[in-house]
Amino acid sequence: MATTPGTLITVAPTGAELSKGDFPQLPTTLEELVETAVACEAAGASMIHLHIRDAEHRPTLDHGHLKAAVDALREQTSLVVQLSTGGSVHDPLEQRLTVLDAEPDSCSLTCGTTNFGDDVFLNPYGFMSDLYVQAQEREVVPEFELFDLGHVAALARLIDAHGLPFGGKVHVDFVTGVPGGMPGTPAALVAGVSMLPAEVTSWSATGIGRTHLPIAAAALAAGGHLRVGMEDNVVFARGVPVQHNRELVERAARLAELMQRPAMSTGDARALLGVKDRRPAA
Ligand code: KMH
Ligand code: ZN
């Protein structure tokens, strides 16, 4: 895996789990998402991982909502736009495949079923395989979400079966600290990194809840990139709630700068990930 001087910072601003009622500062409307994306790009993010909400702030995979968000973010930012195909634990597999119809730059692809708190986040191999092939055909770059060490082996199986994703790069994201998945510890992260198949060209990591900051530090120390955001963590410091996703991106960018791997530009992120340029002509 080639080393990169800069740090790719992905912001995951919303997720599918938290409710607007409990967290009014969670960006759920299109207007809030655009404002968040613009602010986070200015703070150092170069990719956004999106879950979309409906008019009642509930998670939705409705095509119109997804397409409107992709178009608006593409128009008003130069962020790499990644749509979640994980959705919420209640979304049917067939509907999760339709996310690609919104033509994002990138899509998440979780490499296995995992316990998810008291729920089950379902990702049978057949679904992963269909999503992998459809993303290749639609020229969408997958980001492989690894919640557990077994997911690393499943990623190798996918690559062996279907070849490289569109664009020829393989970027993975370790999602650590989910109750039911790998713990958010440097030891678990390093174990995962050591198992990555040779085809992997870059990796990032995030830690859920209180593991957010230590995993960011460990990822930077081990040569990885960062994902931060309210999907993963809503506590900035003990007793201090996150008020805006920008705060988490700013802190990640400061940390990356301190480690002499400053936040990379969206142009560098596009090259790192191998995404197709779908932006409207200027
Ligand atoms: N909301 C989780 C059940 C993804 O975006 O692909 C799944 C998730 C992963 O957030
Ligand atoms: Zn997600």
Side-chain angles (χ1 to χ4, degrees):
M1 201 182 327
T3 48
T4 24
T7 300
L8 168 76
I9 300 178
T10 300
V11 62
T14 310
E17 281 70 43
L18 299 179
S19 81
K20 184 79 164 175
D22 291 340
F23 298 93
Q25 70 274 45
L26 196 68
T28 51
T29 67
L30 185 55
E31 199 182 16
E32 288 167 346
L33 270 183
V34 169
E35 186 278 329
T36 294
V38 169
C40 289
E41 181 176 0
S46 46
M47 176 149 72
I48 186 162
H49 167 86
L50 282 175
H51 290 254
I52 306 301
R53 303 292 180 102
D54 65 14
E56 276 77 47
H57 311 285
R58 293 174 308 212
T60 181
L61 294 180
D62 169 74
H63 174 73
H65 281 83
L66 266 60
K67 187 75 183 125
V70 169
D71 290 349
L73 293 188
R74 209 167 260 154
E75 215 160 87
Q76 305 205 38
T77 76
S78 60
L79 294 168
V80 176
V81 179
Q82 179 183 96
L83 283 180
S84 166
T85 64
S88 91
V89 289
H90 308 293
D91 289 323
L93 296 175
E94 317 78 62
Q95 212 187 344
R96 287 167 51 193
L97 285 175
T98 68
V99 163
L100 298 180
D101 295 343
E103 299 182 335
D105 302 317
S106 171
C107 67
S108 60
L109 192 166
T110 298
C111 290
T113 295
T114 190
N115 282 327
F116 196 84
D118 294 339
D119 294 303
V120 175
F121 177 30
L122 201 60
N123 295 284
Y125 184 74
F127 168 76
M128 291 157 49
S129 191
D130 288 349
L131 179 55
Y132 193 100
V133 171
Q134 290 188 26
Q136 277 175 325
E137 291 168 354
R138 309 280 195 102
E139 303 186 337
V140 174
V141 172
E143 174 183 273
F144 300 97
E145 311 295 341
L146 309 177
F147 287 66
D148 222 331
L149 297 190
H151 294 191
V152 186
L155 167 64
R157 184 180 171 196
L158 277 176
I159 296 171
D160 285 348
H162 303 298
L164 292 175
F166 171 76
K169 304 290 177 62
V170 181
H171 177 72
V172 312
D173 178 51
F174 290 95
V175 183
T176 71
V178 169
M182 64 193 283
T185 60
L189 179 63
V190 169
V193 172
S194 73
M195 288 171 55
L196 288 174
E199 290 86 351
V200 170
T201 48
S202 58
W203 64 271
S204 60
T206 183
I208 303 301
R210 67 181 58 199
T211 69
H212 209 56
L213 196 48
I215 283 294
L220 281 172
H225 300 275
L226 304 179
R227 172 172 127 171
V228 296
M230 292 179 71
E231 171 167 349
D232 302 337
N233 175 37
V234 289
V235 178
F236 191 79
R238 192 185 293 266
V240 183
V242 175
Q243 295 297 347
H244 195 288
N245 279 280
R246 179 188 56 241
E247 298 163 6
L248 294 171
V249 174
E250 278 170 353
R251 181 168 67 179
R254 277 208 309 277
L255 207 53
E257 178 89 39
L258 269 175
M259 294 294 282
Q260 304 195 7
R261 290 193 33 221
M264 67 171 58
S265 68
T266 54
D268 285 350
R270 285 169 187 281
L272 179 79
L273 301 169
V275 296
K276 177 173 172 168
D277 195 355
R278 291 177 163 87
R279 288 171 292 178

